[in-house]
Amino acid sequence: MLAENQFGCAAKLYRKSGHPRMLFDQGQLDSLQKLVKTDDGKKILGAMQRELRPIVQRARETPDLTKLFLGKDDDSAGFSFSLVSRSFEIGLVGLLTENRLAVDTALRILETIPRLGKGFVDDDSCGIYPLFYLAYDLLHDRLGPQTAAEI
C-alpha cells in the first residue's frame, strides 16, 4: 500500500523549476561517470561507443532529420527507427564521456520530434517511444524551455 505522501512528491521540484527524473539525477550520473572509468566500465562503454558511432555519424551527416523521420529520404524507415530507439543511449554515452557530438546528436533527435506532428509519437506500433521519453528525461536540462515544453 502506498503511503499518502508518495503522491505529489514532484510538486516541490516543479515549484523550484526542477524536473523530476525517471532514472538518473545529476549525482547518479556523476557516480556512473566514475564507474565507466573502471576496467569493466571501460569495456562496457567501449562496446556501446563502437555500436553507436556509425549511428551518430550518419545522423550528423543527415542535413534534415525531419525528412528522414517522415520517410522522405532513402532508407529512412530503418535508420529513423535506430535514431529514436537509440536516442537515450546516444545521450547517455555522450554525457558519461563528455562527448559533445553525441550529446548534440541526441538533442537534435529530440528537437526534431515536435516538428513531425502529434501523430508521429502517438502512433507507437513499435514500442520505441518509451526510450525516446527516457532520452528527453536524461537531456531535459540541456533543452531550451520552449523545446522541452513542445516535446
Side-chain angles (χ1 to χ4, degrees):
M1 179 186 230
L2 292 173
E4 286 181 43
N5 63 358
Q6 287 181 311
F7 290 105
C9 58
K12 185 177 176 181
L13 282 169
Y14 281 119
R15 281 193 297 274
K16 292 181 178 181
S17 298
H19 175 73
R21 299 295 176 189
M22 290 188 281
L23 287 180
F24 310 122
D25 63 20
Q26 189 57 51
Q28 292 164 321
L29 279 171
D30 293 342
S31 295
L32 281 173
Q33 280 182 317
K34 292 175 185 168
L35 282 173
V36 298
K37 292 177 182 172
T38 66
D39 288 341
D40 287 339
K42 288 176 186 176
K43 289 177 190 173
I44 294 167
L45 190 61
M48 291 177 74
Q49 287 174 304
R50 283 188 298 279
E51 191 167 322
L52 295 172
R53 192 172 291 120
I55 297 169
V56 170
Q57 183 62 36
R58 181 162 175 204
R60 297 197 56 74
E61 293 170 353
T62 301
D64 188 348
L65 290 181
T66 303
K67 284 183 182 177
L68 180 84
F69 283 122
L70 294 176
K72 298 177 181 177
D73 200 351
D74 291 339
D75 189 31
S76 60
F79 185 60
S80 63
F81 178 86
S82 292
L83 284 180
V84 176
S85 65
R86 307 300 291 274
S87 58
F88 172 74
E89 290 173 82
I90 293 167
L92 180 61
V93 168
L95 291 176
L96 292 178
T97 61
E98 299 178 349
N99 180 328
R100 190 69 205 163
L101 292 178
V103 172
D104 287 347
T105 299
L107 288 170
R108 187 169 166 231
I109 295 165
L110 292 174
E111 291 164 350
T112 300
I113 298 298
R115 295 192 295 266
L116 302 176
K118 187 168 172 29
F120 185 83
V121 176
D122 289 346
D123 181 26
D124 182 16
S125 57
C126 300
I128 59 175
Y129 293 104
L131 298 170
F132 168 78
Y133 297 132
L134 290 176
Y136 168 83
D137 183 61
L138 181 70
L139 299 168
H140 178 273
D141 294 343
R142 289 161 178 83
L143 291 166
Q146 183 174 343
T147 302
E150 289 172 351
I151 295 173

